[in-house]
Each structure stands twice: as structure tokens, then as C-alpha cells.
Amino acid sequence: QVLWHKYHDGKPLTHTMQDIALKFDPIYEILFDERVDIIVTTPYGIPFPDEKPEEIPQDEWEYFQQIYTSDLEIKKRIEKHNPIILIGGALENCIANASVYFHNNYKINDQELFYVPELCVSFDKNLLAKIKPQLDARNIKPIEYEKAMELLK
């Protein structure tokens, strides 16, 4: 199972422009493979809650439900797959947060978690250096692009 951890700021035009830009770069062809499952979490890599918080108006809640993937939905999508490979997002933020969240909340027995550094971005090398040992401690490992492509075959 390959999960594209997709960023969405809640603005439809930004989301559309990002998809168009990615389609023109051959390294990102993996993202548009029919076997890649897309999840969209909150901007910090944590899934959208299953229950509506009281402070969010109903119309906003319904709008966000159309954009973001809920906690229960993500669990259903990944529980039977091994390994799980996360791609896309800021490595030291979204991908790190999502992979640690997956490890702590969804991981079943010997299920492996990977991320593809070539398909992530990094904005803060110092933060990444602090986060990397936390990923290593949970056995959340980097995998090379070519090896990830082999797993899709």
C-alpha cells in the first residue's frame, strides 16, 4: 500500500494548481498510479477527527469532511497492508507527524512504515535532524524511490 499524504490548505484553486504542476514532472508519476491511495490530513499530518467538535459550525464541518480524510477512514485503508509507504508532504512536519501517529495508533504487529525522501520536501534541516532519531526509534525507515517503485510491481 502506498499512501500519498497530500497537503490541502482548504482552498480549491491552490489544490488544483499543485496537482497540475506535479503531473508535468516525471519523478512524480508514481503519485498518479492507480494503486496509490490518497489521504489528506490536517496541515500538521494528523487525521481529521471522526466527531465534530462543538466549536466548529456545521457548514464548515461539512466542507472540511469533503477535503480531509478522517481518523477511522485512514485506519480502514491501512490496517490490512504491509508495508505502508508514505510519500508527499514536508518530511520534518507532515510526514513525521503522520508516520508517528500511524505507528502509535494504527500499526499492527509486524507492519512496516516507510517514507520516500525523494518524494517529500524539507524546509528545516535542523528540525529534520531532531525528528529523524524519533522516526528511527519507531523503526520508521526511509526507502529509495526505485525500491518503492519495485514494491508497486
Side-chain angles (χ1 to χ4, degrees):
Q1 176 77 25
V2 176
L3 294 175
W4 176 6
H5 182 242
K6 201 169 186 183
Y7 174 79
H8 199 302
D9 62 4
K11 300 173 186 171
L13 184 59
T14 304
H15 172 74
T16 302
M17 295 303 292
Q18 287 171 344
D19 276 358
I20 290 170
L22 291 173
K23 286 182 181 178
F24 285 106
D25 190 334
I27 194 170
Y28 294 105
E29 78 179 89
I30 186 177
L31 298 177
F32 301 98
D33 186 292
E34 64 187 28
R35 296 165 291 179
V36 172
D37 195 7
I38 298 170
I39 62 166
V40 182
T41 62
T42 62
Y44 297 101
I46 305 301
F48 197 66
D50 295 316
E51 303 293 325
K52 183 180 99 49
E54 285 184 30
E55 63 273 9
I56 297 180
Q58 185 64 32
D59 59 332
E60 289 180 24
W61 175 254
E62 290 171 6
Y63 175 72
F64 290 138
Q65 283 182 306
Q66 294 173 16
I67 295 172
Y68 299 110
T69 311
S70 73
D71 189 50
L72 183 59
E73 181 63 28
I74 292 174
K75 184 175 183 171
K76 286 179 186 176
R77 290 188 195 182
I78 69 170
E79 65 187 357
K80 296 178 184 175
H81 299 282
N82 192 24
I84 301 295
I85 301 174
L86 286 92
I87 58 178
L91 182 52
E92 67 273 12
N93 291 317
C94 302
I95 295 297
N97 289 346
S99 60
V100 169
Y101 189 91
F102 285 15
H103 178 274
N104 293 344
N105 295 283
Y106 306 141
K107 187 172 185 270
I108 301 169
N109 301 323
D110 63 345
Q111 196 174 39
E112 293 182 286
L113 287 167
F114 295 100
Y115 59 92
V116 182
E118 296 98 330
L119 298 177
C120 300
V121 296
S122 184
F123 299 106
D124 186 337
K125 298 294 183 191
N126 292 329
L127 180 57
L128 182 58
K130 291 178 184 175
I131 296 294
K132 182 81 171 77
Q134 294 177 35
L135 299 177
D136 293 342
R138 291 172 175 85
N139 206 24
I140 301 167
K141 301 174 278 194
I143 187 171
E144 294 176 1
Y145 175 82
E146 291 80 17
K147 289 182 182 178
M149 291 298 288
E150 283 295 316
L151 290 175
L152 284 176
K153 292 182 179 179

